[in-house]
Amino acid sequence: MFLFLTVLQALVAAALVGVVLMQKSEGGGLGMGGSPSGLMSARGAANFLTRATGILATLFVVLSIVLAAMAVEVTSGREIDTSLQRDTGTTPAAAGQPAPAAQPAAPAGQTDPLSGAAKQ
């Protein structure tokens, strides 16, 4: 459902951009401005485009709110994955104390594959 509404949102956005670009403007949007012989020069076409813009904009806002509400429901309740967290075995340095010296490289039998990778 979320994917369907996302695709619908993209289609509504594309239609909204197209309708806005087809409207008559002072500067002649898409070359249709000033001349009465333009593609959409009739007053009825202007009313249709204005109505279509309002409907598409309202639909876009409503879909945005619905998708935001659905995204909150989908992502709530997840826990942080700590499978990649490394335990160094040391506690963080207290404020005002210097950081502990670097540990020497671990023996070959240790299970941490990244131990000793940052040799200088």
Side-chain angles (χ1 to χ4, degrees):
M1 183 64 161
F2 186 78
L3 182 62
F4 171 74
L5 289 178
T6 304
V7 171
L8 184 63
Q9 173 86 348
L11 293 174
V12 168
L16 184 61
V17 168
V19 168
V20 168
L21 288 177
M22 287 189 333
Q23 289 182 6
K24 185 176 178 180
S25 67
E26 295 290 325
L30 288 181
M32 292 186 256
S35 71
S37 64
L39 180 64
M40 298 260 185
S41 61
R43 184 157 176 82
N47 286 339
F48 168 75
L49 290 176
T50 303
R51 233 179 250 135
T53 301
I55 291 170
L56 287 172
T58 303
L59 187 60
F60 182 83
V61 169
V62 169
L63 279 172
S64 297
I65 292 170
V66 168
L67 284 170
M70 288 178 69
V72 167
E73 289 178 10
V74 168
T75 58
S76 65
R78 288 191 181 177
E79 295 181 11
I80 296 174
D81 183 15
T82 58
S83 63
L84 297 177
Q85 184 176 358
R86 289 181 59 181
D87 185 21
T88 59
T90 60
T91 59
Q97 294 180 351
Q103 300 288 331
Q110 188 175 358
T111 61
D112 187 7
L114 297 177
S115 64
K119 292 181 183 178
Q120 295 180 0

